[in-house]
Amino acid sequence: MSTAFDLDVWVKEARREPFRFSLAGNLFTMPSAGELDKSILSAVSIENPSARDIEVLLKTGLGDQWARFDETPVPLAALGELFRQWQKHEGAPVGESQASSGS
C-alpha cells in the first residue's frame, strides 16, 4: 500500500525567497507570486491579467503594506514592470508552475 502524497510537505519544501523591491525609499516584501492562496483565482484572470487584475494581485501580495504602497505615486508603466519582475522572480508566469511541461 502506497502512502498518500503530503501536500503540506510539498508546500513547505517549495517555498521560495520573498520578492523585495524599493519605492520612494521604502522597502516592500511580497511572497513569491506562486505562493498566493488559491482563493485569488476567483478574483482575477491569471492567463490574461487586466490592469485591475494586476492591482488585485499586487494588493494581495503586499498585504498589510498595501496602504503605504498605495499612497505613493507610481506611473502605470512602473506597475507593469513591477508585476513582470515579480513574475520573473518566481521563474514562470503567475499561472504556470515550474513543473509545467512544455508540451
Side-chain angles (χ1 to χ4, degrees), residues 5-13:
F5 172 68
D6 191 335
L7 189 56
D8 293 322
V9 170
W10 184 91
V11 168
K12 287 178 187 173
E13 291 176 355

Side-chain angles (χ1 to χ4, degrees), residues 33-34 84 86-100:
R84 282 187 288 281
W86 188 28
Q87 288 178 303
K88 185 177 175 183
H89 173 77
E90 179 73 18
V94 173
E96 296 181 16
S97 157
Q98 286 186 348
S100 295

Side-chain angles (χ1 to χ4, degrees), residues 8-48:
D8 293 322
V9 170
W10 184 91
V11 168
K12 287 178 187 173
E13 291 176 355
R15 298 251 180 222
R16 292 176 176 76
E17 287 293 314
F19 175 70
R20 293 177 177 85
F21 68 96
S22 61
L23 173 66
N26 294 301
L27 181 63
F28 295 92
T29 303
M30 297 191 294
S32 293
E35 290 190 23
L36 295 180
D37 187 73
K38 65 179 173 50
S39 62
I40 196 74
L41 294 174
S42 63
V44 299
S45 168
I46 297 295
E47 292 79 26
N48 189 20

Side-chain angles (χ1 to χ4, degrees), residues 28-85:
F28 295 92
T29 303
M30 297 191 294
S32 293
E35 290 190 23
L36 295 180
D37 187 73
K38 65 179 173 50
S39 62
I40 196 74
L41 294 174
S42 63
V44 299
S45 168
I46 297 295
E47 292 79 26
N48 189 20
S50 68
R52 178 65 61 201
D53 292 338
I54 290 171
E55 181 183 39
V56 169
L57 288 163
L58 290 173
K59 186 175 184 177
T60 301
L62 284 164
D64 294 342
Q65 303 166 92
W66 175 254
R68 186 167 37 112
F69 177 82
D70 193 37
E71 68 188 19
T72 306
V74 180
L76 289 178
L79 286 181
E81 184 58 27
L82 174 60
F83 186 68
R84 282 187 288 281
Q85 291 299 320

